[in-house]
Amino acid sequence: MREKEFRMAAAARGALLYMKGVRGVALGDRVVVRDQSGRRRSGQVIRTSNEVVLVQVFEGTEGLDLDQTWAGFLEKPFELSLSPEILGRVFSGTGAPRDDRPPIISTLKRNVNGAPVNPAARTYPKEFIQTGISTIDGLNSLVRGQKLPIFSGSGLPHNRLAAQIVRQAKLLSQEADFSVVFAAMGVSYTDARFFEEEFESSGVLRNVVMFINLADDPPMERLLLPRAALTAAEYLAYELDQHVLVVLTDMTNYAEALREVATAKGDVPARKGYPGYLYSDLAELYERAGRIHERHGSITMMPVLSMPSDDITHPIPDLTGYITEGQIVLSRELQSQGIYPPVNVPPSLSRLMKDGIGADFTREDHPRVAAQLYAAYARSLEARNLASIIGAEELSERDRRYLEFAEGFEKRFVGQGEDEDRSIIETLEIAWELLSGLPPEALNRVTEEDLQKYHQWGRARDPEETATAGDAGVNGD
Amino acid sequence: MGEIIDINGPIVTVRLERVRNGDQVKIGRIGLVGEVIGLDGDRAVVQVYESTEGARPGEAAESLGHPLSVELGPGLMGNIFDGVQRPLPELLKISGDQIGRGIEVPSLNRETSWRFEADSSLSMGDRLTGGAVIGTVQETEIIKHHILVPPDISGEIVEHGASGEYTVDDVIARVKSDDGHIHDLRLFHRWPVRTPRPYEGRNHAAVPLITGQRVLDTFFPILKGGKGAVPGPFGAGKTMVQQQIARWANADIVIYVGCGERGNELVDILESFPELTDPHTGRSLMERTLLVANTSNMPVVAREASIYVGVTIAEYYRDQGYDVVMVADSTSRWAEALREVSGRLGQMPVEEGYPAYLASRLSAFYERAGRVETLRGNLGSVTLIGAVSPPGGDFSEPVTSHTKEIVPTFWALSKELADARHYPAVDWLDSFSGYVDTAAHWWSREVDPTWAARRAQALAVLSQADDLSRIVNLVGPEALSPTQRWVLEGAALIKEGVLQQSAIDEVDSYASPRKQFLLLDIALCIYDEGHKLIELGVPVEQISRLPSMARFRRLKSVYTSEQADDIDAFNRQVKKDIDELRVEYGAPREAEA
Ligand SMILES: Nc1ncnc2c1ncn2[C@@H]1O[C@H](COP(=O)(O)OP(=O)(O)OP(=O)(O)O)[C@@H](O)[C@H]1O
Ligand SMILES: [Mg+2]
């Protein structure tokens, strides 16, 4: 390895350093920048010609005296040293230890950028993971190897939800060979600490690798951090055969760091100042989740992001939704009604659910029950809307039932305890209990057999309701 | 030999003499391939199909002397290629799970030998022109591959091989062109992807492409050789619509281009299609399917190329006389790749960062669709269906709005419908088809003469109901007359019993034209009869509660397309139910009336 130091800094702007007269530098190479005081910063070559080399400096260029700035070109890209020892450790975005323990020494080093997985090498993810959370298991099931983000907002309990999923996911607790890669970008100390304590109290800490960049750490490091974290995840999954759950939080801070560099470089913005390549850049990260032929491990990914002004059409959630395999959306409204977890059901989706549920994985009626709950809840929200205009008393018998359904659905199905770990069968039972408050002929997403087997019409909980139902003289089955 | 001057992401400036715009260039120690997109003196701007990480200024660059071309010959069907037609299964063998860089692999396997049946009517001295058939190869059980003389070659046969086993590289015939040049003909030839393949003329006697999806075929039809687009926000069902078309459409060949989308969606096809049977041929779907995959994490420049690779292969099968459908998911990612390159070149952006030539590139691409008389005189077609992914679901953005100007069939997906799990979430107000009249001839001839009237009536009920719902949302349902309330019920019946069609419902995933029509017809019969009952004073609620109303909503999932007669029988049951109500309210039985 040749390491030459150059002192030809021509200009510095934001996180960018322009070096002159350094010839033959490779794109993507790692750079160590040393300033007048001897302080070292890390950087990476993002554009190169024999005249000018553009270096992105992760700690920023503030305070650099250009005349006394040296840049060492390391002749290699950013790499992460890998060994089983990474488990239980805490690293920074550049892969340096953050836990006062020695760096990982290993001959195995990987370029953190990875390389695109050959689609022909992938296996379609199908194995149901029970998270114990009804809105996920019942309506938006997670499968091993899926990328399923949580769309949240400031003040919403996305961290608690993510932690509950990590705790309860059966993928994790029943198998010895699991691990968690936790990547925090620009989060507060309190949030980082919360996760650490969670991992500690649930006894998984020794199976966790953490990559931490706090709110007051250099923002540019956030660009490298998820890449380092995913490199660790790939190593654990494909070389140590582990089922890895990767939590990336908060992707909004990542995207903002990207926008900052893009603006400094003068890249043409697409929407809201974010560069046109934000989609491809995010995809490079998210697509590292999945399953690969003949590999025993898997990478399941749960990115967490806060939607600026709760706007789901904002480029960050929008482009994420275009890449991930669904999304769990949190709602401020449910939160204010004290419902935990405040999952906003209509916009939430799991695309890999269809192949991971049903008779072979959960229960045969599951796909239809999920569709029915969605349809009934959509109809209930219309009834609720109508009630707000004309008053609940004016509603028709049918609409009143829908109104009740909405209440029950939010309180009993969506809402659950933070320690409540529901089996999928329990989730489906609650679902049928709620659907039993609606007349069978209103339920056309389920089959007649489902109705016969699970629907309790006429045997409803409240005797008075039974009477009205009888009066209505409805019989669809 | 030239050298690299500047590397800016996928855009590399090289010093290289005598290179033409569009030519392919190989650069650097890694041997990355790209194409020239601009020339300035001895400098050429190259867009590179692979990641340029690790490349250095000063490294060598050489011109390959030809533009990006595809190899056209047996071995395409059932295969999966990347955006520049490298076979992904071969790359897997060479570089493992992750795609390596600078790998050269021929698109078509050079070892496989194919049974070639020479056209026995040809003899020495015959004159062959471009597009003529010199023989056939049974590529899969259902696809007979016609070996064509390349469109730009013609001349006199000076040598021709007998039927037998050949690899794609073997010379099977030689022709001498007028200038005396001798051309070797093989089982395959190359064609530049950015040049549309020539044909004799356009042919307008088109028939609808039947996709088995009611809302598409019955409400917003597309023709064989037509152009269509599926815009919609994320999660609305664009990919599902395209996969359903790939699965069920009555085309001979399907080309599925995954352009900047998810790897798992291609795996889904790769894993499920071989197991699925084509309802039209009874054979495995994979035998007529070809995939081009440049997923979102693969290099962006190859993404731009991928749809041209796809459409050129589509044209090639069209030229053999096949009806080809190509779906591209998503054209927005292709447009973004254009934007990315133009941005790096410092070209003036016009709207949302897109270059001024976005609209013309889009329309030039869709122009490659069509039903044509081929050079050899038979008919073939390419139907192009592109997904559009508008940022924030905003249809006024550049790619959606330009596409809307170009395509006659527009299946607008709505977030509201998708959120309520009304699938396919095709919005009946925002969608349109300019092919309804042509399709009507076919439906009237093949299925039922009242098709066009029924379709129009259903759309009218739906739009009337939308207006009425707005009133309800303002003042409540009490403001509506019984007749108006029945319109709402009728619309609900059409939505639930006809429009909604789950791709994962084994019984209903595909609906034959007859099943489609019968369901629509029953919904409207109930609707029409209901109006008559209301005139007799029957309350809306009582009609809605008829058991057959609930049964109708489930009918589509009870009977398959083969059981269309049972659906028809159900119609009589409904009539009986209604008749009883009528009698109850003092009217004579239908039969007596
Ligand atoms: N016809 C359908 N039948 C059943 N489910 C459907 C149908 N269409 C869509 N869905 C459901 O909606 C989900 C999202 O659909 P799809 O992946 O096609 O969306 P998309 O518009 O392509 O989104 P993106 O732009 O993010 O790729 C599917 O995974 C499936 O669960
Ligand atoms: Mg899609």
Side-chain angles (χ1 to χ4, degrees), chain A residues 114-335:
Chain A
V117 172
N118 186 332
R122 289 183 189 268
T123 300
Y124 198 67
K126 282 195 173 142
E127 295 152 293
F128 177 76
I129 300 174
Q130 183 173 300
T131 66
I133 293 161
S134 292
T135 40
I136 298 179
D137 296 350
L139 298 175
N140 295 293
S141 320
L142 176 68
V143 301
R144 207 175 254 182
Q146 183 171 14
K147 37 190 180 296
L148 187 65
I150 300 177
F151 287 8
S152 185
S154 55
L156 294 178
H158 43 266
N159 288 340
R160 282 157 61 201
L161 179 60
Q164 186 175 3
I165 294 172
V166 171
R167 243 183 2 250
Q168 296 181 352
K170 285 292 172 288
L171 151 87
L172 304 182
S173 55
Q174 281 176 354
E175 298 198 29
D177 49 354
F178 77 92
S179 50
V180 176
V181 172
F182 179 71
M185 292 151 277
V187 303
S188 69
Y189 173 78
T190 329
D191 286 349
R193 187 71 206 128
F194 166 79
F195 275 101
E196 221 169 311
E197 275 164 10
E198 274 292 325
F199 297 144
E200 210 169 332
S201 66
S202 51
V204 296
L205 201 53
R206 64 189 151 68
N207 294 322
V208 181
V209 192
M210 288 196 252
F211 290 83
I212 308 258
N213 169 283
L214 296 179
D216 55 357
D217 286 330
M220 289 310 119
E221 244 182 67
R222 291 166 204 165
L223 296 178
L224 214 49
L225 188 141
R227 293 182 163 80
L230 286 160
T231 304
E234 283 166 351
Y235 167 72
L236 295 170
Y238 305 136
E239 269 153 74
L240 302 189
D241 292 344
Q242 305 215 327
H243 292 294
V244 186
L245 178 66
V246 181
V247 178
L248 302 168
T249 182
D250 177 328
M251 288 308 291
T252 301
N253 297 333
Y254 170 83
E256 276 166 6
L258 190 74
R259 174 168 67 177
E260 202 179 318
V261 197
T263 315
K265 277 196 295 179
D267 291 338
V268 180
R271 284 172 70 224
K272 300 215 165 152
Y274 291 91
Y277 52 79
L278 178 59
Y279 173 84
S280 301
D281 188 278
L282 289 174
E284 270 175 28
L285 303 178
Y286 296 147
E287 281 282 316
R288 287 171 84 168
R291 300 223 59 171
I292 305 245
H293 275 312
E294 289 165 25
R295 304 274 170 180
H296 298 295
S298 62
I299 299 178
T300 308
M301 194 188 288
M302 211 181 358
V304 177
L305 60 87
S306 42
M307 299 183 278
S309 345
D310 290 349
D311 177 11
I312 197 169
T313 68
H314 183 282
I316 300 168
D318 189 51
L319 296 180
T320 297
Y322 271 122
I323 304 163
T324 53
E325 287 142 345
Q327 65 279 335
I328 302 296
V329 185
L330 301 189
S331 139
R332 205 165 286 284
E333 203 181 311
L334 292 180
Q335 157 88 349

Side-chain angles (χ1 to χ4, degrees), chain B residues 72 77 131 146 148 151 191 195-203 225 252-253 255 310-325 365-384:
Chain B
L72 302 167
M77 277 303 117
H146 301 264
L148 305 179
W191 191 260
T195 309
R197 285 174 66 90
Y199 46 82
E200 199 52 47
R202 296 251 173 189
N203 175 289
D252 302 312
I253 306 261
I255 296 180
V311 76
T312 307
I313 299 173
E315 288 173 342
Y316 171 65
Y317 280 97
R318 171 202 71 190
D319 292 346
Q320 296 174 41
Y322 287 119
D323 287 322
V324 185
V325 171
F365 162 67
Y366 277 109
E367 209 41 39
R368 293 177 76 167
R371 182 171 150 98
V372 304
E373 189 189 321
T374 65
L375 292 179
R376 58 185 273 231
N378 59 354
L379 294 173
S381 68
V382 171
T383 311
L384 287 181

Side-chain angles (χ1 to χ4, degrees), chain B residues 289-489:
Chain B
T289 310
L290 175 152
L291 306 178
V292 177
N294 181 277
T295 54
S296 57
N297 55 337
M298 285 158 78
V300 67
V301 173
R303 188 180 303 167
E304 194 269 340
S306 67
I307 70 164
Y308 294 106
V309 165
V311 76
T312 307
I313 299 173
E315 288 173 342
Y316 171 65
Y317 280 97
R318 171 202 71 190
D319 292 346
Q320 296 174 41
Y322 287 119
D323 287 322
V324 185
V325 171
M326 169 172 143
V327 296
D329 189 8
S330 157
T331 58
S332 294
R333 307 299 165 220
W334 165 79
E336 285 166 13
L338 272 189
R339 173 172 70 186
E340 163 107 38
V341 169
S342 83
R344 301 233 185 210
L345 293 179
Q347 289 167 343
M348 187 64 175
V350 289
E351 23 178 17
E352 299 198 10
Y354 287 105
Y357 48 79
L358 170 69
S360 59
R361 290 276 173 94
L362 261 175
S363 62
F365 162 67
Y366 277 109
E367 209 41 39
R368 293 177 76 167
R371 182 171 150 98
V372 304
E373 189 189 321
T374 65
L375 292 179
R376 58 185 273 231
N378 59 354
L379 294 173
S381 68
V382 171
T383 311
L384 287 181
I385 297 170
V388 189
S389 316
D394 172 11
F395 283 15
S396 68
E397 62 90 37
V399 184
T400 318
S401 57
H402 290 309
T403 304
K404 196 170 175 179
E405 303 278 301
I406 298 165
V407 298
T409 297
F410 191 75
W411 296 312
L413 303 187
S414 123
K415 178 165 165 51
E416 284 67 40
L417 292 175
D419 281 357
R421 298 306 190 253
H422 171 118
Y423 293 129
V426 176
D427 187 305
W428 45 89
L429 288 178
D430 290 344
S431 301
F432 56 81
S433 165
Y435 298 126
V436 176
D437 291 344
T438 316
H441 289 294
W442 183 90
W443 281 88
S444 150
R445 198 176 64 235
E446 304 287 329
V447 184
D448 196 284
T450 64
W451 179 81
R454 284 314 222 184
R455 172 186 178 275
Q457 189 191 358
L459 282 174
V461 174
L462 289 168
S463 102
Q464 237 180 313
D466 284 340
D467 292 341
L468 293 172
S469 314
R470 271 190 286 278
I471 300 181
V472 172
N473 280 332
L474 287 177
V475 290
E478 295 310 310
L480 300 187
S481 71
T483 310
Q484 289 174 320
R485 293 223 303 282
W486 182 244
V487 173
L488 290 181
E489 287 288 326

